[in-house]
Amino acid sequence: MLAQALILAMMLTAPPAADADLAEQVRDTVRQLRADELKERDAAEKKLLELGPAALDNLPAANDQMPEEMRQRLARIRLRLEQTRAEAAAGGTHVTLKVDKQPLSEVLKTLEKLSGNRIVSRVAEMAPAGGGAPAEPTVTLDVKDVPFWQVLDQVLDQVGLTVDITATDEGKPL
């Protein structure tokens, strides 16, 4: 059997680059933050917040050429969207997965795809006590809409392994 511990290194993947439509929508809405009417400026701020954290990558940095109110609104929008992104990351992804005696490596690949979390497994590097190729453990699981971390715990509990979130990948911290 495998050693008593497994090193798994995990990292949230970077959000995908914003598409051109979103970038254009953010640009147009940011311009409305300069509108003469307070109603229009308020509507633009609300719309940017409704676009969600994906809009963050397209928000311009405040600069001295912008009116003070616009700089304040952009700072407020950025703060709220960053808070929303952080809350979503802390809450984690929910996973639905049903597998029966699947190899651990396949289950981890599936979890990686479903959650957006990068999982690096060191199982292949661990040689059994008697030498030879290690027998890969299998996992049986049936979960519906369960937080990622709970699912990962269940998988690792089945195979007697653990997570090391401080591990490195190729000598670089994840």
Side-chain angles (χ1 to χ4, degrees):
M1 183 109 188
L2 295 173
Q4 293 180 1
L6 161 73
I7 299 174
L8 278 180
M10 308 192 61
M11 172 179 79
L12 290 176
T13 58
D19 64 10
D21 291 339
L22 178 62
E24 184 177 338
Q25 192 174 10
V26 170
R27 262 192 315 276
D28 292 344
T29 309
V30 166
R31 281 189 209 113
Q32 293 174 3
L33 292 174
R34 292 180 182 247
D36 291 334
E37 295 291 322
L38 177 62
K39 258 186 180 175
E40 289 179 50
R41 295 191 304 270
D42 287 345
E45 183 172 346
K46 182 179 178 188
K47 184 176 179 181
L48 286 167
L49 291 170
E50 288 171 354
L51 290 174
L56 276 168
D57 295 333
N58 297 293
L59 284 179
N63 62 55
D64 292 338
Q65 296 165 346
M66 293 176 180
E68 179 62 28
E69 181 188 0
M70 184 177 184
R71 288 194 303 249
Q72 289 175 359
R73 285 180 185 268
L74 283 171
R76 187 169 51 236
I77 292 164
R78 186 174 303 282
L79 178 62
R80 296 261 314 272
L81 292 177
E82 287 172 348
Q83 287 172 335
T84 301
R85 180 183 280 173
E87 288 167 3
T93 307
H94 283 68
V95 174
T96 297
L97 180 62
K98 183 174 183 176
V99 294
D100 184 33
K101 297 181 183 173
Q102 291 289 313
L104 175 63
S105 61
E106 293 301 316
V107 174
L108 294 177
K109 283 179 191 174
T110 301
L111 277 176
E112 188 172 48
K113 283 182 184 177
L114 292 172
S115 69
N117 292 325
R118 182 167 174 227
I119 303 173
V120 178
S121 172
R122 304 277 194 239
V123 172
E125 299 169 10
M126 302 172 76
E136 185 170 2
T138 59
V139 176
T140 299
L141 190 68
D142 186 2
V143 295
K144 185 173 182 174
D145 198 31
V146 176
F148 165 77
W149 288 104
Q150 289 180 16
V151 175
L152 183 62
D153 283 344
Q154 289 179 33
V155 168
L156 297 179
D157 286 348
Q158 282 189 38
V159 295
L161 302 173
T162 188
V163 173
D164 181 356
I165 60 172
T166 62
T168 61
D169 185 24
E170 298 175 15
K172 300 174 188 166
L174 292 176

